[in-house]
Amino acid sequence: MSQQSPNTPTRRDRLLKQHHLDGYKSDRKLPEPTLCPVCGAVFSAGRWQWLASLPEAASEVRCPACQRIHDHLPAGYLTLSGDFFNEHRDEIMRLVHNHAERLRSEHPLQRIMEVQSLDSGGVEIAFTEFHLPKGVGDAVKSAYQGELKVHFPEESGQERVSWER
């Protein structure tokens, strides 16, 4: 192991390899075009996207979002709760669905998987992408204030976000 002298500056310009936590992201490049037979998204130009017309000759494989839905394994959750939420449930859920739909229309892998009512009166929303729970939670907080908490336990690989007011 080499020792640096006290006068030698530490280099901070090297690239560090990031650990990829999402087992649903393919390590290999898919042939182009590849069609998801479940949702109709197409892998083209290096990413999954919605195309105006489907390609005639395409490989077929489930996209990562459809595979997550099939496996019942969300990438993250958003829990909405509190008295304010219960009083304004329909309005807040409309905001959640509109925000998620706007993202899904541009990015096919970003979807709501399911919405479950909780015994406490709140709801838990499961998502197919890691950053979607926080993004939707930020939209709810921006519109209605309240308290947003984000928790990302490394062992589960699932983002857990909660909003309460």
Side-chain angles (χ1 to χ4, degrees):
M1 208 164 133
S2 66
Q3 296 269 337
Q4 284 187 327
S5 80
N7 297 333
T8 305
T10 303
R11 289 193 60 170
R12 300 191 193 289
D13 61 347
R14 62 190 170 110
L15 294 175
L16 299 176
K17 187 171 183 174
Q18 292 184 350
H19 296 286
H20 207 20
L21 295 175
D22 190 357
Y24 286 85
K25 299 278 183 175
S26 180
D27 289 339
R28 63 181 176 85
K29 185 172 177 170
L30 295 172
E32 293 189 25
T34 297
L35 173 69
C36 176
V38 179
C39 70
V42 177
F43 185 82
S44 179
R47 66 184 183 94
W48 287 97
Q49 53 189 307
W50 303 116
L51 296 180
S53 61
L54 297 178
E56 289 182 26
S59 300
E60 287 192 2
V61 68
R62 272 191 192 134
C63 70
C66 288
Q67 190 61 51
R68 276 192 179 281
I69 292 167
H70 176 265
D71 294 346
H72 305 288
L73 189 62
Y77 296 92
L78 171 62
T79 303
L80 305 171
S81 61
D83 293 337
F84 182 86
F85 172 74
N86 291 328
E87 292 168 13
H88 301 275
R89 175 188 296 263
D90 292 341
E91 181 182 340
I92 294 171
M93 289 306 293
R94 244 187 329 274
L95 172 89
V96 166
H97 285 287
N98 288 341
H99 188 78
E101 181 58 29
R102 190 170 39 257
L103 291 171
R104 188 198 67 78
S105 70
E106 296 175 23
H107 307 284
L109 304 184
Q110 296 186 0
R111 302 184 207 159
I112 292 177
M113 287 178 62
E114 66 179 332
V115 178
Q116 289 188 330
S117 293
L118 302 173
D119 293 339
S120 63
V123 297
E124 182 177 70
I125 307 164
F127 295 95
T128 58
E129 281 286 312
F130 290 110
H131 305 293
L132 203 48
K134 183 175 182 317
V136 173
D138 285 339
V140 172
K141 182 178 180 184
S142 176
Y144 300 102
Q145 287 72 50
E147 185 178 355
L148 188 69
K149 294 179 184 174
V150 179
H151 184 62
F152 189 83
E154 297 243 357
E155 59 276 358
S156 74
Q158 295 176 323
E159 183 178 56
R160 293 208 169 257
V161 179
S162 62
W163 175 86
E164 184 174 3
R165 177 169 170 207

